[in-house]
Amino acid sequence: MDVNPEHAHPFIDAAAPTHPSLIDTSHATGDLFGFVNIPMAVWIDEDGNLVRPAEAASIERSPMRDMDIPDGLPERLDRAFREIKKFPEVANEYRAAIVDWAHNGAASKFALSPDEVVQRSQPRPDTHARAAACFEMGQHLLRTVGHDAAVPYWREAHALFPENWTYKRQAWTLITTPADATENDLMQGPNDVYEGNWLDDVIAGGGGESYSVVPQL
Amino acid sequence: MILQTLENVTTTHVADRTGWTAKAEGMCRGEICVPAPGALRDNGTVDINVMANRLGMPLVHDDNTGVWALGPATATGRALSTAAAADPEFIDRSGHPFRLSSLRGRKVLLVAWSSY
């Protein structure tokens, strides 16, 4: 999910995957599947039916969870690490569930019925739907008019749907990453364009514990 | 879904981006159809206002460019209205179009990631 495919290319090239690696330049998968953060995943069976809705999709325990936070870090970086260490950890269980489904298909206890898939999908009140329209309008104006034209719509999307991290992170990274940088600024700190930033919004949303859509396995 | 105008929008275009197909019986996706009298016009185009009203889709208009953005349906209150997977057009690393439907017959784990 990247508004600019050029931003995705280095990651794809480095991974050299044997599976299809696709780019969603319009964040359409957010509307269509309910992705609100990354990594998230859906499972689709051989007939094209979803058997699990959008949920956090980490399959490896992050080394950041086990590392010791060095003394003397800048205050915001220290706090960011502490919030990251609070992220819910179900990577091993989620990976095992994928393997179970791969082997057992519809007989897997992790493959849900169509009704369960719909009921467990992300909530979509009117505010979230309007946020999606605003975010898409912003993407369109970014491409056709320029960045400044996108900002009001992205600000509205953030206000309407504060739990949607893809809307925020996509917008923030275009502000906080210098034009000549070789890597994105993942801290996405305070800036003059948007009211929020990564760390303060994580804390406002309930802390690292609330940062992801935890799979209910 | 970005629209330059609300007129002459084809059923194919709407279905491709929203997953909803305008049929005589209503707006349909997967196994469900929502009655939407007038949504499918005689000339095969879609009345966007009727569809948006029936499915609870917001329409956002940019006065400077005249462009519309149509948001997703809220008819069921959930992100998914049906378990039938949508089939948007992606691009691959080389810029070629790719649809998930080309993988029918195989299990698909669709993982979202980003550079940010």
Side-chain angles (χ1 to χ4, degrees):
Chain A
M1 302 171 81
D2 267 296
V3 68
N4 184 345
E6 296 293 329
H7 294 168
H9 288 167
F11 294 87
I12 298 172
D13 294 344
T18 56
H19 54 72
S21 192
L22 313 173
I23 306 174
D24 171 12
T25 58
S26 66
H27 288 75
T29 49
D31 295 4
L32 297 171
F33 296 110
F35 296 143
V36 295
N37 204 346
I38 53 95
M40 291 184 76
V42 294
W43 301 3
I44 305 172
D45 71 11
E46 292 88 338
D47 298 321
N49 293 311
L50 294 158
V51 294
R52 289 198 72 87
E55 55 196 356
S58 294
I59 59 169
E60 290 182 334
R61 183 177 175 85
S62 168
M64 295 180 72
R65 296 187 57 79
D66 301 316
M67 74 174 198
D68 294 324
I69 299 175
D71 293 332
L73 290 177
E75 181 180 350
R76 290 185 63 85
L77 183 57
D78 179 275
R79 183 64 189 270
F81 278 132
R82 294 184 190 282
E83 295 303 328
I84 289 169
K85 289 170 82 69
K86 297 177 187 173
F87 289 177
E89 179 61 55
V90 291
N92 290 339
E93 293 87 345
Y94 187 70
R95 185 177 65 246
I98 295 171
V99 172
D100 186 86
W101 175 57
H103 287 304
N104 299 309
S108 169
K109 68 176 183 179
F110 303 108
L112 304 176
S113 71
D115 286 346
E116 288 176 306
V117 168
V118 171
Q119 287 305 312
R120 290 198 194 187
S121 68
Q122 289 292 294
R124 178 160 289 156
D126 293 345
T127 49
H128 293 190
R130 184 172 177 85
C134 288
F135 189 77
E136 185 168 19
M137 180 68 85
Q139 290 181 113
H140 174 75
L141 296 177
L142 174 75
R143 295 189 179 96
T144 58
V145 179
H147 179 263
D148 289 351
V151 169
Y153 290 99
W154 284 351
R155 287 173 62 94
E156 184 173 352
H158 297 177
L160 289 167
F161 194 177
E163 301 86 1
N164 190 309
W165 291 97
T166 61
Y167 294 166
K168 293 178 172 180
R169 294 170 69 177
Q170 175 67 89
W172 291 336
T173 198
L174 297 177
I175 292 294
T176 64
T177 300
D180 58 349
T182 57
E183 295 183 357
N184 280 332
D185 166 36
L186 298 181
M187 282 294 292
Q188 300 177 342
N191 59 84
D192 296 332
V193 178
Y194 296 101
E195 294 178 4
N197 63 82
W198 190 85
L199 177 58
D200 291 326
D201 281 27
V202 167
I203 294 170
E209 304 95 322
S210 304
Y211 187 61
S212 55
V213 179
V214 181
Q216 302 301 308
L217 300 171
Chain B
M1 176 181 186
I2 294 295
L3 297 162
Q4 302 294 334
T5 171
L6 300 186
E7 300 302 317
N8 299 314
V9 183
T10 66
T11 55
T12 302
H13 188 46
V14 170
D16 188 56
R17 183 59 183 84
T18 69
W20 291 90
T21 301
K23 298 181 178 178
E25 55 267 45
M27 296 303 303
C28 301
R29 183 171 179 181
E31 72 281 10
I32 67 169
C33 285
V34 176
L40 177 60
R41 290 174 168 144
D42 292 341
N43 64 1
T45 63
V46 178
D47 186 319
I48 296 296
N49 282 305
V50 171
M51 179 183 75
N53 180 263
R54 294 299 299 164
L55 296 177
M57 295 169 145
L59 266 169
V60 172
H61 185 249
D62 181 66
D63 292 339
N64 293 326
T65 59
V67 169
W68 299 83
L70 178 69
T74 58
T76 66
R78 314 299 302 183
L80 299 176
S81 303
T82 170
D87 192 23
E89 184 175 278
F90 298 99
I91 54 173
D92 66 15
R93 171 63 179 86
S94 301
H96 298 127
F98 190 104
R99 290 187 187 274
L100 296 176
S101 53
S102 68
L103 300 172
R104 290 289 184 271
R106 306 170 70 179
K107 296 183 183 72
V108 175
L109 177 68
L110 178 64
V111 182
W113 191 255
S114 69
S115 67
Y116 46 78

